[in-house]
Amino acid sequence: MLRDDFDGDGLDLSVWLPHYLPAWSSRAATSASHRIEGGRLVLDVPVDHPVWCPDDHDPPLRVSGVQSGNWSGPVGSTRGQQRFAEGLTVKEEQPRFEGWLPASGHVEIRCAMDLSHRSMAALWMSGFEDDEQQLRCGELCVVEVFGNAVQPGSAEVGIGIKAFRDPALTQDFAAPRVDVDVSGFHTYAVDWDADVAVFTLDGHELRRCPRPPTYPLQLMVAVFDFPDASTGDDDHLVPRLVVEHVAGW
């Protein structure tokens, strides 16, 4: 069971690693811009935040994220989490970290998003991927909102299963438009077992997807900025994800 109300003096490092997939870069280069403020976790992307994996990831992105698991193989190996390109190799070996890795049950986040046309915020759960062939890599996306899909009083809310390389899963992801002001606090959640994953917003069902992954999944909470989406006059914008709590059982 997990219940983090972010009511301490800092991030609970027994649960969260404040870096984004550091094996493909380094911990120094992937540190999240984060703080605990008024009993809430604030993740943001300041204007001087570095581009993530600038030599390997296209298009460029900047990201502040926390994750509840981490590991990698040795430097030079291909064994790492959420590989995003062929031939990618580990740049900095990561010790095994298991903060919280649910395989079924309930996970929710209560959060507010400050986004623009060049940013996105999300909570997804990704396979821990420590199996020999690294096929346990599927994801349950609890919420994914791109700022360019936000309108006054509504937003496209991405939810569902992303199969990636897992042959046992079927891609089942959609972003229905929902009447919600994502700048206010809302609770996004999933309940899942081997038969079905049910995705909800403030307790109201949005989608259900059959046969979700039921291997250990790590939580990924992050806010992104996409420099290529700039209109030339928006480099001052700072996207934020403010999290009131993350809970699961």
Side-chain angles (χ1 to χ4, degrees), residues 123-176:
L123 162 64
W124 70 101
M125 294 186 289
S126 176
F128 196 58
E129 264 186 282
D130 62 344
D131 54 302
E132 183 63 30
Q133 294 182 292
Q134 291 200 265
L135 295 179
R136 292 185 169 188
C137 59
E139 293 181 5
L140 284 179
C141 184
V142 182
V143 57
E144 177 185 276
V145 177
F146 284 86
N148 61 7
V150 174
Q151 298 176 359
S154 75
E156 293 180 3
V157 179
I159 42 180
I161 298 170
K162 296 185 180 181
F164 292 106
R165 303 182 313 278
D166 186 343
L169 297 180
T170 299
Q171 182 80 6
D172 193 354
F173 178 83

Side-chain angles (χ1 to χ4, degrees), residues 28-132:
T30 60
S31 292
S33 172
H34 73 286
R35 61 191 180 275
I36 303 297
E37 190 174 87
R40 292 166 175 166
L41 169 65
V42 181
L43 293 164
D44 61 15
V45 184
V47 295
D48 59 351
H49 202 69
V51 173
W52 182 75
C53 290
D55 297 326
D56 296 310
H57 194 277
D58 187 36
L61 62 83
R62 303 186 305 149
V63 55
S64 286
V66 299
Q67 53 192 67
S68 70
N70 189 44
W71 71 273
S72 83
V75 171
S77 76
T78 60
R79 288 187 61 77
Q81 297 177 308
Q82 300 179 47
R83 297 198 305 275
F84 56 87
E86 290 297 324
L88 200 62
T89 58
V90 172
K91 302 293 194 300
E92 182 181 277
E93 184 173 354
Q94 301 295 309
R96 190 178 182 93
F97 169 65
E98 298 182 38
W100 194 58
L101 305 174
S104 63
H106 174 94
V107 166
E108 69 179 44
I109 185 171
R110 184 163 180 82
C111 63
M113 307 172 187
D114 182 5
L115 302 174
S116 74
H117 58 277
R118 55 179 285 170
S119 54
M120 183 266 277
L123 162 64
W124 70 101
M125 294 186 289
S126 176
F128 196 58
E129 264 186 282
D130 62 344
D131 54 302
E132 183 63 30

